[in-house]
């Protein structure tokens, strides 16, 4: 599937705890230029990892995504972009595009890993426009139960 | 610190839930040739990642350590070994040694990431002999509360 032409860039508003069926789970919030938001539910450790880079925190030991970025840099590779381009059975699929000596190489990955890596390299985060349109939410109706500041 | 001469190889017996101060937390269990065991407490997602490779499970989307190994392979790099060689304030520190075109490059990493990556590449897992001797446990006295089979 080549959907590059239908990709739009988003920024990351933050990681929030959202209520799903009575359970509080972390979600990373994507935001477009107009301020529309789209949540993607992620795991706890990915939430911590994304949060730590958004806050510029340094851990005593490298987190997994810090290790990835350090390895890629030392191997002379740059993260060109990441893109979330598929949704099947309510699961998002993403890809990470590396640039090595001018050639691009793509890897299947989860959105949470892609976002955690892209933020550490200031690489663009892209998403299929149709997915964003379908899954973006009304800010007012959305209960940001609490910021992940309270999340450990 | 060059402690290569004092390193011993261990295998991974599995991931278990152990009781620490009344809380059940995952631990990866290292085992030496004589069957002595040494637990290292790890996070939930690292426990799932190590468990999935021990059981040869394939996930619909690549886990973070699957992504790392795929990237390293495509970038022509091999995991030479990983080693846990320091313990400071009850926290273990480890390093990952890559081999690229015959040269070794080392990266600071957490033991859990090192183990999850090494198992996927059949790379040797080494530990400082003094650390293993100090922290290995008496199997009989140790309560393996339950296997991580029950762990989600």
């Amino acid at each position: 599937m080549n959907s590059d032409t239908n990709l739009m860039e988003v920024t990351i508003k933050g990681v929030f705890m959202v209520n799903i069926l009575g359970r509080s789970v972390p979600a990373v919030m994507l935001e477009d230029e107009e301020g529309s938001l789209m949540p993607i539910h992620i795991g706890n450790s990915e939430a911590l990892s994304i949060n730590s880079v958004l806050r510029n925190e340094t851990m005593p030991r490298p987190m997994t995504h810090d290790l990835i970025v350090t390895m890629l840099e030392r191997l002379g590779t740059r993260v060109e972009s990441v893109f979330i381009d598929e949704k099947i059975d309510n699961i998002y699929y993403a890809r990470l595009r590396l640039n090595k000596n001018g050639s691009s190489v793509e890897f299947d990955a989860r959105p949470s890993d892609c976002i955690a890596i892209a933020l550490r390299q200031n690489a663009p985060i892209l998403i299929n426009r149709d997915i964003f349109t379908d899954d973006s939410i009304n800010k007012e109706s959305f209960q940001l139960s609490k910021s992940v500041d309270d999340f450990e």
Side-chain angles (χ1 to χ4, degrees), chain A residues 19-89:
Chain A
N19 288 314
I20 304 289
L21 302 172
R23 268 186 72 204
S24 192
V25 296
V28 59
M29 199 65 73
L30 279 48
E31 185 172 28
D32 74 358
E33 278 188 342
E34 279 87 46
S36 296
L37 299 174
M38 185 193 126
I40 296 180
H41 303 129
I42 58 177
N44 287 355
S45 63
E46 289 79 8
L48 287 170
S49 173
I50 291 173
N51 222 32
S52 84
V53 58
L54 289 175
R55 295 192 199 166
N56 254 320
E57 285 172 356
T58 307
M59 300 289 173
R61 296 181 302 176
M63 301 182 85
T64 313
H65 299 107
D66 298 324
L67 173 65
I68 292 175
V69 166
T70 308
M71 288 196 297
L72 292 177
E73 283 174 354
R74 288 275 290 277
L75 294 169
T77 303
R78 185 170 64 77
V79 180
E80 201 170 288
S81 61
V82 300
F83 41 104
I84 300 156
D85 61 350
E86 279 198 277
K87 183 187 179 186
I88 302 169
D89 295 338

Side-chain angles (χ1 to χ4, degrees), chain A residues 18 30 36 55 63 73 95 117 133-134 138 150:
Chain A
V18 297
L30 279 48
S36 296
R55 295 192 199 166
M63 301 182 85
E73 283 174 354
R95 283 184 284 170
I117 294 167
T133 305
D134 288 350
N138 183 322
D150 312 311

